[in-house]
Amino acid sequence: TPAIAIRDLVKRYAPAGDAEGKLALKGVTFDVPQGGIFGLLGPNGAGKSTLINIMAGLVRKSSGSVDIWGFDIDRNQRNAKRSIGIVPQEIVFDPFFTPFEVLENQAGLYGIAKHLRRSEELLRAVHLADKRNAYARTLSGGMKRRLLIAKALVHQPPVLVLDEPTAGVDVELRRQLWELVTEMNREGVTIVLTTHYLEEAEELCDRIAIINHGELIANKPTRELVGMA
Ligand code: ADP
Ligand code: ADP
C-alpha cells in the first residue's frame, strides 16, 4: 500500500458572504509511496494547503477519496488520523509552556500513557534537549519550528506532512530544517512537504508532484523531472 492514496479529489469552497465559491482541487489523483520524501510543488493559490488540510481532517473534501496508510479518512478516520503527523505553517505555542510541556501535553491529547511517552527522546531528535525547560517565548524561530516537528511526531505516525516548512526562513535555518527532515526520513518516516521553491524540492525530494490551479500537472521521480526543465 502507498503511504497516501488520493483519488479524484475535488474541493469546492462554498461561497461565503459576497465571496464566490472556488474550485480549489479539480479531481486530483496520485500516490505517495512509502519511505521517501515526496514534494508537492506549486505556486501560491495552487491548492497545496487545501490538500494538506483535507489529509489532516481540517477541511472537508467535496468528492473523491483519501487513504492514509491504507485507512480511508472518512470510513476509518481514527486510524487515518493516527497515521499522519502535520507540521502547520504557522507557529502557535503558549508562550509560557516549555518544550517538554508542549510534547507532554500533546501526548496527553493522544491518550498516550506516561510511561510510553517519548518527550525526552523527541527533544534530542530535534536538537532541543538543552531547551527542555525554557519558556517557548524565549526560543528562536528555528527552535520553534523544530519543536513543531517534534510535536507532530509525538504519536509516532508513519507519515509526516510539512506545509511550506521553510517559507520565510533564512538560508542557514533552511539548511538546518532540510537536515532534520532528512534525518527523520532515515529513521523510516515517510515525508510529504509542500513548497514553492523548486530548488528545495530538487534537493530534498526523491519524487515531485506539481500542482497548479487545482490540477496535478506532473508527478515524477526528481531526476526525470529535472531533466525536463
Ligand atoms: P497562501 O499563500 O497561504 O495560500 P491564500 O491567500 O491563498 O494564501 O490563503 C490564505 C488563507 O485564507 C487560506 O488558507 C484560506 O483559509 C483563506 N482564504 C483564501 N482565499 C479565500 C477566499 N477566497 N475566501 C475565504 N477564505 C480564503
Ligand atoms: P496554496 O496552499 O497552494 O497556496 P490554497 O489551497 O491555500 O493554495 O488555495 C487554493 C485556492 O482556494 C486559492 O484560490 C484560494 O484562494 C482558495 N481558497 C483557499 N481557502 C479558501 C476558503 N476557505 N474559502 C474559499 N476559497 C479558498
Side-chain angles (χ1 to χ4, degrees):
T1 31
I4 298 178
I6 293 174
R7 295 288 173 275
D8 302 319
L9 187 63
V10 173
K11 174 61 188 181
R12 181 184 294 279
Y13 286 105
D18 54 4
E20 272 182 65
K22 168 92 198 178
L23 194 54
L25 295 174
K26 303 173 180 170
V28 168
T29 296
F30 64 96
D31 283 346
V32 175
Q34 286 189 26
I37 304 184
F38 187 95
L40 193 59
L41 181 71
N44 280 331
K48 305 183 296 297
S49 299
T50 299
L51 196 48
I52 283 191
N53 288 336
I54 291 172
M55 291 180 200
L58 298 172
V59 164
R60 285 174 64 93
K61 60 189 164 60
S62 303
S63 62
S65 71
V66 177
D67 285 15
I68 296 167
W69 218 247
F71 302 113
D72 182 285
I73 58 165
D74 291 333
R75 281 176 291 157
N76 214 333
Q77 190 182 39
R78 194 184 150 82
N79 284 322
K81 278 201 171 182
R82 287 191 170 251
S83 302
I84 195 167
I86 308 270
V87 182
Q89 252 181 72
E90 332 78 73
I91 305 178
V92 202
F93 292 120
D94 183 320
F96 292 106
F97 264 46
T98 67
F100 183 74
E101 288 167 342
V102 166
L103 299 185
E104 286 292 303
N105 194 48
Q106 181 77 359
L109 291 180
Y110 277 97
I112 300 170
K114 290 248 188 227
H115 69 286
L116 293 175
R117 295 184 187 175
R118 313 184 300 140
S119 302
E120 310 280 1
E121 183 191 331
L122 277 168
L123 287 175
R124 279 195 301 275
V126 299
H127 315 297
L128 284 176
D130 58 330
K131 296 289 174 185
R132 184 188 190 279
N133 298 318
Y135 286 137
R137 65 183 178 83
T138 69
L139 302 180
S140 70
M143 291 173 187
K144 285 180 185 163
R145 279 177 194 258
R146 299 205 307 265
L147 181 55
L148 267 189
I149 293 175
K151 187 180 169 193
L153 290 169
V154 158
H155 59 295
Q156 294 188 263
V159 185
L160 182 69
V161 178
L162 303 103
D163 194 3
E164 306 251 1
T166 62
V169 311
D170 65 35
V171 179
E172 194 189 318
L173 177 53
R174 185 174 302 173
R175 287 270 154 212
Q176 227 181 71
L177 291 169
W178 288 3
E179 206 169 295
L180 189 55
V181 163
T182 308
E183 278 168 28
M184 298 302 162
N185 180 246
R186 262 192 246 113
E187 312 257 311
V189 180
T190 300
I191 308 280
V192 179
L193 60 93
T194 68
T195 181
H196 53 262
Y197 302 116
L198 175 62
E199 90 278 5
E200 173 162 84
E202 276 178 16
E203 167 135 359
L204 263 185
C205 305
D206 48 64
R207 194 173 183 91
I208 299 175
I210 303 177
I211 184 170
N212 196 18
H213 295 300
E215 287 178 295
L216 207 73
I217 57 173
N219 174 14
K220 289 186 186 307
T222 304
R223 62 190 128 72
E224 286 178 30
L225 198 80
V226 171
M228 279 167 42

